[in-house]
Amino acid sequence: MTDDRDAALDALKDQLSELLAAQRRLRGRDAGQRKGGLSFPQYRLVRELARAPGGELAASQLAAAAELSPPTVTQMLDQLAACGIVERTRSERDRRVVTNRLTDEGRRRLEEKDAAHAQKWRETFAALDRDELLAGAAVLERLSRLYDDL
C-alpha cells in the first residue's frame, strides 16, 4: 500500500513539474506578444487593474497585486498605454504618483481574453465531475501552501 501511495506522490510531483514547465513555455510564447493580443504577464496586469476598487491603481500597488517587480510593471504599463489599453494619469493629490486605469479598449481586450480562457477551461475539464474538480482544487491548494512554507 505504501509503495502505491509513494508512486502516486511521485506522479503528482512529476506532473507539478510539468505544469510549471508548461507555464514557462506559455510565457515564452507570449514574450513576443501576439499582434493585437495581450501577453500572459500583461493579461495578469490588466486583470488586476480591472479588479481594483475604483478601477485604478498606482504602479507600485499594481506590482504588488500582480506579484511582479515595480520596474517590470512600469515598462509593461508604458507598452499598454502606447497600445491604448491603459490610461496613465498623474495624481491630483500627489504629482509623484501616476495612477493607471483601463481604457474602453483595454476592457474589451480583457473581456475577449477572459472569454477565450473560459471556453478553453470548460473544454479541458468537461469530462471531470464536480467531485473530481473539487479534489483537484484541494490538491492545488495544498501545493500552494507547501510552496509558501518552503
Side-chain angles (χ1 to χ4, degrees):
M1 185 66 107
T2 299
D3 288 342
D4 288 345
R5 188 167 193 293
D6 287 344
L9 280 172
D10 285 343
L12 177 62
K13 186 171 38 171
D14 290 346
Q15 286 308 305
L16 175 62
S17 182
E18 288 300 317
L19 173 64
L20 296 173
Q23 185 179 32
R24 285 189 301 273
R25 289 190 301 273
L26 170 65
R27 287 182 178 174
R29 282 193 310 270
D30 267 355
Q33 184 183 350
R34 287 174 280 216
K35 190 168 186 161
L38 293 170
S39 70
F40 183 73
Q42 288 173 332
Y43 175 61
R44 285 184 60 202
L45 207 63
V46 167
R47 271 191 11 225
E48 290 301 330
L49 258 182
R51 293 177 179 162
E56 65 181 37
L57 287 173
S60 59
Q61 296 169 310
L62 193 50
E67 297 181 0
L68 296 166
S69 72
T72 297
V73 167
T74 298
Q75 182 180 16
M76 288 170 59
L77 287 168
D78 287 343
Q79 292 168 349
L80 291 167
C83 294
I85 295 169
V86 170
E87 177 182 51
R88 306 189 78 202
T89 316
R90 290 240 173 248
S91 170
E92 293 294 321
R93 289 176 287 211
D94 184 345
R95 300 295 293 160
R96 296 171 296 174
V97 175
V98 175
T99 58
N100 304 279
R101 73 173 41 248
L102 289 179
T103 62
D104 290 341
E105 176 65 12
R107 277 188 281 291
R108 184 191 69 74
R109 289 200 196 180
L110 176 61
E111 288 170 9
E112 218 172 70
K113 190 106 172 180
D114 279 344
H117 280 190
Q119 179 64 30
K120 188 71 170 168
W121 194 257
R122 282 190 299 274
E123 290 170 3
T124 300
F125 296 107
L128 299 179
D129 67 26
R130 177 187 175 277
D131 290 340
E132 289 171 311
L133 292 170
L134 290 174
V139 168
L140 291 172
E141 188 269 334
R142 285 182 186 223
L143 285 168
S144 294
R145 278 190 286 161
L146 170 70
Y147 272 43
D148 284 340
D149 290 344
L150 289 178

